[in-house]
Amino acid sequence: MSSVAGASPLARYTTVCALIWFPNGLSLAPVVLLFIERGMGLPTVAVLIAAHSLTAALLELPTGGVADVLARRTVLASALVLNGLALVLQGLGTSVSILAFGMVLAGGARALASGPAEAWYVEAERRVSGQGVDLRRGLARGSAVGSATMGVGILVGGGLPWLVERAVGDRLETVSGGSLLPLSVPLLAGAALDVFCAVYVLVALREPRHRPAAPAILRGVVRTVLDGLQLGGRDAVLRRVVLSATASGAALVTLELLTPQRAADLTGLPESGALVFAALACTGLLAHAAGGVLAPPVARFVGSSERAVLAGQAGSTVGMALVASTALSSGALPTGLAALGFGLMYLGQGVGDPNAADLLHRSVPAANRATAVSVESLGLQVSGACTALVVSRLPGGHWPWWAATAAMLAGALVWVGRAPVTGPPGGQTGGGSS
């Protein structure tokens, strides 16, 4: 364990990214189809997703403030344990109330986990390499590793139900009284991995000792949250980061909500549909990882992180347009174009996310770092909740997909004609350009 704590900040950060996102990938492929298999209609599934997103949105800033005031590793470890409990409830729950409680817990875990690891890495890297260190390489590598491992997790999570179905068939459901389905297995495996990751976080993410008294904690959290809200209002760069995250949230939730059913309709069975969606989502996440690797050179090629975010958002818009244009088509060519669009959507996000993170960390002081990440995540979560509720009630066919495409286009336009932020990449603070 001492060798773990003695590894470089980047090595520990990328390991944490892998351990966090692999269990999430395990659950992503089967969860919508599991809820449908439990008898939930698409509008009910949308409400469950909205419960997750709204919980995360409500808790984003308070939990970001807690992470900035208290030890970030403690907050992150708590998030992982909470997410493990949520996955157990989602995997075994048979009623709407239990599933809703599981989604609310998952939303709380998402809020707790949205900023601590990234904020820990930025501060740890600066202690080792100095305040002027270029953070884009490390942030991009963490994004790439997280996306790649999540993609592998999605592929495993989509394949496990298919294998379990063929190995034990209906016996699993009969023995468990209907609470355990083949689609439940990846979620339970993810829960076990979350507990392991929590232990690793407590060992690996060492921080300077900081033990404020309880009244000081409360005052510090309130002050940090208020500072974060004020920062989001006055800092133009942070506003644009939040707006583009809001656009991305709408598009990503549309893909996550509608693609599993589209895949199941194509194959005729939920288990095989989960496998097809897993393969597609894995391809998307690997494209996101490739985009993360390309993020620093793209920024150098186009001249700034702002232009790199614009390029990424524009690529994602084209990808969503391809998915939308094939929504009512069948055959090899439309399916191939939809898959290409899916990958292009995630490739663009992979290019844009690390560059947006670089801009964010150059625009905020160290005391508000996790809170600022939570402000960005707040936009994504609110957008995701609203999109889930709206998309499930739109007419079928092209309409939901084109609405997501329009949202991505708006997120790209936010960055058009913006002057680059001055200062070295990864500088300590800095105001946003207007």
Side-chain angles (χ1 to χ4, degrees):
M1 287 299 184
S2 60
S3 61
V4 170
S8 71
L10 180 56
R12 284 178 279 170
Y13 173 58
T14 53
T15 301
V16 167
C17 288
L19 291 174
I20 288 174
W21 288 109
F22 184 76
N24 280 297
L26 283 175
S27 65
L28 183 60
V31 69
V32 170
L33 294 174
L34 174 61
F35 292 166
I36 293 174
E37 190 78 353
R38 298 289 193 194
M40 317 296 168
L42 189 60
T44 304
V45 175
V47 170
L48 292 172
I49 292 175
H52 171 279
S53 297
L54 288 174
T55 302
L58 288 172
L59 296 177
E60 279 290 359
L61 290 180
T63 55
V66 169
D68 278 328
V69 173
L70 292 175
R72 285 157 181 161
R73 66 171 182 168
T74 304
V75 173
L76 184 55
S78 301
L80 290 162
V81 172
L82 190 62
N83 193 64
L85 177 59
L87 288 177
V88 171
L89 292 175
Q90 292 168 30
L92 299 179
T94 57
S95 67
V96 174
S97 58
I98 292 176
L99 295 176
F101 184 50
M103 294 299 279
V104 167
L105 289 182
R110 173 65 183 268
L112 283 167
S114 66
E118 187 175 303
W120 175 89
Y121 165 68
V122 171
E123 294 305 315
E125 192 66 68
R126 282 178 169 166
R127 284 194 297 270
V128 173
S129 305
Q131 295 296 321
V133 62
D134 187 347
L135 297 169
R136 283 183 300 206
R137 172 177 168 269
L139 293 171
R141 183 174 296 183
S143 176
V145 168
S147 297
T149 52
M150 186 175 181
V152 173
I154 288 173
L155 193 60
V156 174
L160 271 178
W162 185 81
L163 292 172
V164 171
E165 173 68 23
R166 276 146 185 76
V168 297
D170 296 332
R171 285 175 291 171
L172 184 66
E173 186 175 355
T174 302
V175 170
S176 64
S179 61
L180 185 59
L181 304 178
L183 290 167
S184 306
V185 174
L187 281 76
L188 300 180
L193 288 172
D194 273 331
V195 175
F196 171 78
C197 183
V199 175
Y200 178 86
V201 164
L202 290 174
V203 172
L205 302 192
R206 298 293 178 86
E207 296 179 278
R209 290 187 177 274
H210 186 208
R211 299 180 182 274
I217 292 174
L218 181 59
R219 289 194 301 269
V221 169
V222 172
R223 183 172 58 252
T224 303
V225 170
L226 292 176
D227 288 346
L229 288 171
Q230 292 171 0
L231 188 65
R234 69 173 182 264
D235 189 281
V237 170
L238 183 55
R239 281 201 305 272
R240 290 197 290 275
V241 169
V242 171
L243 289 172
S244 60
T246 300
S248 298
L252 292 170
V253 164
T254 300
L255 288 173
E256 292 172 8
L257 180 63
L258 299 183
T259 304
Q261 188 61 56
R262 191 167 163 178
D265 291 340
L266 180 67
T267 63
L269 290 171
E271 287 81 13
S272 56
L275 183 59
V276 170
F277 174 65
L280 188 59
C282 179
T283 302
L285 269 296
L286 291 176
H288 190 279
V293 173
L294 293 172
V298 167
R300 289 192 294 269
F301 179 77
V302 299
S304 69
S305 292
E306 288 85 349
R307 291 170 187 157
V309 177
L310 172 59
Q313 294 290 91
S316 293
T317 302
V318 174
M320 281 304 305
L322 285 173
V323 175
S325 63
T326 58
L328 295 180
S329 304
S330 58
L333 180 59
T335 302
L337 289 174
L340 175 63
F342 200 95
L344 189 56
M345 165 69 190
Y346 279 91
L347 178 68
Q349 293 297 293
V351 169
D353 288 349
N355 285 291
D358 172 62
L359 291 168
L360 182 147
H361 290 296
R362 279 195 277 156
S363 300
V364 300
N368 299 110
R369 199 167 303 287
T371 305
V373 176
S374 291
V375 171
E376 178 188 10
S377 185
L378 176 65
L380 189 147
Q381 295 296 337
V382 171
S383 171
C386 295
T387 300
L389 294 174
V390 171
V391 162
S392 66
R393 287 163 175 78
L394 285 176
H398 293 291
W399 287 105
W401 302 103
W402 283 117
T405 304
M408 280 306 314
L409 178 60
L413 293 176
V414 166
W415 297 96
V416 173
R418 303 300 180 181
V421 174
T422 58
Q428 172 71 4
T429 60
S433 57
S434 57

